């Protein structure tokens, strides 16, 4: 077989794997979440933007979320399933334009890896429904955890403390 043909087949196989991995709703392979919806059901329950962020791992525009400005005590829950994810006391202003936290509520997240930008990023997902929330970086506040959970406000709803 000619090298060119062989290369063509290799490239074809590689690209077909990529499109396979990006299929709708395939957030965490073979993982069973407590909240299981079909894509059709999620589309009905979520707004277009929520669906794009939570189910298609999209990113909202920086500085677009009203949750950026919330500093009052309370809990940030998953916009899709209500799972309690973050608390105001762990929120900080990262200057990025996305709600940022130095830690999540223990056991609330599912962690994954995202290679979409050509390098590895740690992906934060809701542990109950698998919805994409954002990414976790290690350039957070040094005085506390050193971690920065960079989260789409679209993926969250704020519940003020009573
Ligand atoms: Fe959820």
């Amino acid at each position: 077989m000619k090298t060119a043909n062989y290369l063509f087949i290799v490239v074809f196989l590689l690209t077909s794997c990529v499109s396979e991995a990006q299929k709708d709703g395939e957030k965490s392979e073979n993982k069973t979440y407590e909240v299981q919806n079909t894509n059709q059901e999620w589309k009905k329950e979520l707004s277009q933007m929520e669906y794009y962020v939570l189910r298609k791992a999209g990113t909202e525009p920086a500085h677009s979320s009203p949750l950026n400005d919330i500093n009052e005590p309370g809990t940030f829950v998953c916009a899709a399933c209500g799972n309690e994810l973050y608390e105001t006391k762990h929120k900080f202003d990262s200057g990025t334009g996305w709600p940022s936290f130095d830690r999540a509520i223990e056991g609330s997240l599912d962690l994954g890896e995202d290679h979409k930008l050509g390098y590895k990023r740690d992906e934060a997902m809701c542990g109950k429904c698998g919805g994409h929330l954002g990414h976790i970086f290690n350039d957070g506040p040094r005085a506390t955890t050193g971690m920065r959970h960079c989260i789409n406000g679209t993926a969250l709803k704020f519940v003020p403390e009573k």
Side-chain angles (χ1 to χ4, degrees), residues 35 42 54 78-83 85 126-131 133:
V35 176
W42 281 126
L54 284 152
C78 174
C81 76
N83 187 21
L85 300 167
C126 172
K128 212 167 161 185
C129 73
L133 306 169

Side-chain angles (χ1 to χ4, degrees), residues 98-114:
W98 287 285
S100 303
F101 304 86
D102 71 6
R103 77 202 77 173
I105 291 173
E106 231 182 291
S108 67
L109 296 187
D110 183 30
L111 303 176
E113 282 184 14
D114 173 0

Side-chain angles (χ1 to χ4, degrees), residues 49 52-53 57-71 76 86 90-102 117 119 121 132-137 139 147-156:
M49 191 62 186
Y52 168 69
V53 170
T59 301
E60 71 192 14
H63 304 284
S64 66
S65 172
L67 298 196
N68 272 312
D69 302 323
I70 286 182
N71 293 304
F76 295 83
Y86 292 101
H90 298 135
K91 190 171 186 277
F92 67 97
D93 183 6
S94 62
T96 59
W98 287 285
S100 303
F101 304 86
D102 71 6
L117 298 185
Y119 56 92
R121 289 181 300 167
H132 171 83
L133 306 169
H135 294 93
I136 304 171
F137 304 93
D139 57 6
M147 305 307 285
R148 172 170 62 94
H149 292 231
C150 184
I151 304 300
N152 290 281
T154 306
L156 304 173

